[in-house]
Amino acid sequence: MIAKLQCVVLDCADVVELSRFYQSLLGGVVNQPDPRWSLGDGWATLHTDGLVLAFQRVEDHQPPRWPDPARPQQFHLDLGVPDLNRAQEDVLNLGASLLDEGDGKRSWLNFADPAGHPSCLVRD
């Protein structure tokens, strides 16, 4: 092993908005003091159980367009949930948008966070 994951960084236009969105979805602490990162207008963090997400402001942020290969996903998160229907309702109420709800038979659906990053809700 050469390295271990410290955090996943998401580019966005508004670091506060996106960090609060993911805090509502995953819990955790926004901008918890941590010597690894300097916090400021262009950077925010979310410490969750065992994972840190970081949010970096990018001027003229261009969100991905799923599944458009001209503006690909760049990354996505798979988020385990016990009740897919309930989780879909909750994430949409937080400001996400549905990208693909599937055929009702599969165990996941695709959504985009408020900055346009695609992710999957996956039934545990």
Side-chain angles (χ1 to χ4, degrees), residues 52-93:
V52 177
L53 293 177
F55 309 91
Q56 177 177 293
R57 186 179 49 160
V58 173
E59 285 297 317
D60 301 320
H61 175 257
Q62 297 294 312
R65 274 191 248 153
W66 184 89
D68 182 355
R71 289 195 12 215
Q73 291 185 61
Q74 302 165 19
F75 88 100
H76 77 270
L77 303 174
D78 284 349
L79 306 171
V81 297
D83 182 331
L84 197 54
N85 292 329
R86 175 59 191 232
Q88 175 181 337
E89 180 182 333
D90 290 344
V91 74
L92 293 175
N93 286 336

Side-chain angles (χ1 to χ4, degrees), residues 5-10 37 43 51-55 75-77:
L5 180 66
Q6 286 190 345
C7 69
V8 176
V9 180
L10 293 85
W37 299 287
W43 184 267
L51 176 68
V52 177
L53 293 177
F55 309 91
F75 88 100
H76 77 270
L77 303 174

Side-chain angles (χ1 to χ4, degrees), residues 25-26 78-88 107-109 111 120-124:
L25 184 62
L26 301 171
D78 284 349
L79 306 171
V81 297
D83 182 331
L84 197 54
N85 292 329
R86 175 59 191 232
Q88 175 181 337
S107 62
W108 77 93
L109 59 90
F111 71 95
C120 296
L121 293 175
V122 181
R123 186 178 302 116
D124 279 338

Side-chain angles (χ1 to χ4, degrees), residues 4-22:
K4 71 178 191 176
L5 180 66
Q6 286 190 345
C7 69
V8 176
V9 180
L10 293 85
D11 290 349
C12 60
D14 186 330
V15 298
V16 172
E17 175 188 48
L18 201 55
S19 64
R20 296 289 181 206
F21 170 83
Y22 278 103

